[in-house]
Amino acid sequence: MSHILIAEDEPRISDFLRRGLTAEGYSCIVRTDGAEALAEAESGAFSLVLLDIGLPSLDGFEVLRRLRLTDATTPVIMLTARHSVHDTVLSLDSGANDFLAKPFKFEELLARVRVRLRDTAQIGSGSLRRGSLSLDLKTRRAQVGEQSVDLSAREFALAEEFLAHPDEVLSREQILSRVWGYDFDPGSNVVEVYVGYLRGKLGADSIETVRGMGYRLR
């Protein structure tokens, strides 16, 4: 059974999440204070954290920042009532795996929880490998063969997404939502730019363009 920490200080929302996720077979506890939520998250007892930004004592950004100093792998989905691209960017750059703005449909939250837990199960060894490329998810280091490769946080997140879905064609929209968040401008060319960065560092043939569909790791 997967254990989920719900860090949310609005009783109506936390109760809604707890009841819904429990009905789906997850074990949940609720913490309404940022410092308490951080202590629980750092215990290593949880498969996933639902983290509200507007928590008392420590806000969600600070909880996430401190958590990522010791734990780089537990998936975190940020929750906020603010519809701001800045919040999306800050959450993802701070180490969040996903971002969901309130109000949201429970079905959408549940789908994102399933995706993050599935990805965690696939990478439970703490590393991902495909051919000569390997990613150490704990140290956030990349290697091609015997050579270490320096990747920015966003490049690493994009490489991780490709390695977590081997042989799968990822559409531009999927990459935008999983790596940058849904609020990014769909007209942006950021995916193309970062795929180019990865090709420059991992090899020109490392990522295949599938015309009209998206990208696939070779």
Side-chain angles (χ1 to χ4, degrees):
M1 177 184 292
S2 296
H3 301 280
I4 297 177
L5 172 62
I6 301 170
E8 169 62 66
D9 66 330
E10 293 187 37
R12 179 180 59 83
I13 296 177
S14 62
D15 188 56
F16 164 72
L17 293 173
R18 181 187 57 78
R19 288 188 289 106
L21 291 168
T22 299
E24 293 294 328
Y26 299 108
S27 170
C28 303
I29 72 163
V30 175
R31 291 293 179 265
T32 59
D33 175 84
E36 293 177 359
L38 176 61
E40 292 283 4
E42 288 180 328
S43 72
F46 296 95
S47 310
L48 180 140
V49 178
L50 296 177
L51 181 58
D52 182 48
I53 289 178
L55 293 173
S57 78
L58 294 176
D59 69 19
F61 293 128
E62 183 63 15
V63 171
L64 179 61
R65 186 189 70 78
R66 296 190 189 186
L67 178 62
R68 286 302 186 232
L69 293 176
T70 58
D71 178 357
T73 60
T74 299
V76 175
I77 300 176
M78 299 292 280
L79 307 176
T80 182
R82 296 177 290 187
H83 294 252
S84 164
V85 172
H86 174 265
D87 285 346
T88 305
V89 173
L90 184 56
S91 297
L92 296 171
D93 281 347
S94 298
N97 300 86
D98 209 340
F99 181 95
L100 196 56
K102 305 171 188 175
F104 51 79
K105 300 286 188 181
F106 179 74
E107 291 78 8
E108 181 180 2
L109 172 75
L110 186 60
R112 297 194 189 202
V113 166
R114 285 196 297 259
V115 166
R116 296 306 163 189
L117 291 176
R118 184 183 65 230
D119 289 349
T120 300
Q122 290 174 343
I123 61 179
S125 64
S127 64
L128 289 171
R129 181 179 296 275
R130 180 75 168 176
S132 62
L133 172 62
S134 64
L135 300 178
D136 188 316
L137 303 179
K138 294 181 179 179
T139 63
R140 313 302 284 179
R141 292 176 179 169
Q143 260 189 300
V144 177
E146 299 299 319
Q147 182 178 359
S148 294
V149 179
D150 290 328
L151 298 180
S152 69
R154 188 66 66 209
E155 290 166 352
F156 191 97
L158 180 55
E160 182 180 345
E161 193 64 34
F162 279 120
L163 266 74
H165 301 87
D167 301 318
E168 182 178 337
V169 177
L170 300 179
S171 70
R172 183 175 171 279
E173 291 74 20
Q174 285 176 315
I175 295 171
L176 274 173
S177 67
R178 295 175 184 178
V179 179
W180 277 272
Y182 282 99
D183 288 340
F184 255 83
D185 178 5
S188 168
N189 69 340
V190 67
V191 173
E192 291 79 2
V193 169
Y194 272 81
V195 165
Y197 290 162
L198 279 187
R199 284 171 172 160
K201 294 184 176 183
L202 306 180
D205 297 328
S206 58
I207 299 171
E208 174 187 7
T209 298
V210 181
R211 189 176 298 276
M213 297 177 65
Y215 300 95
R216 176 170 53 204
L217 190 71
R218 286 186 181 275

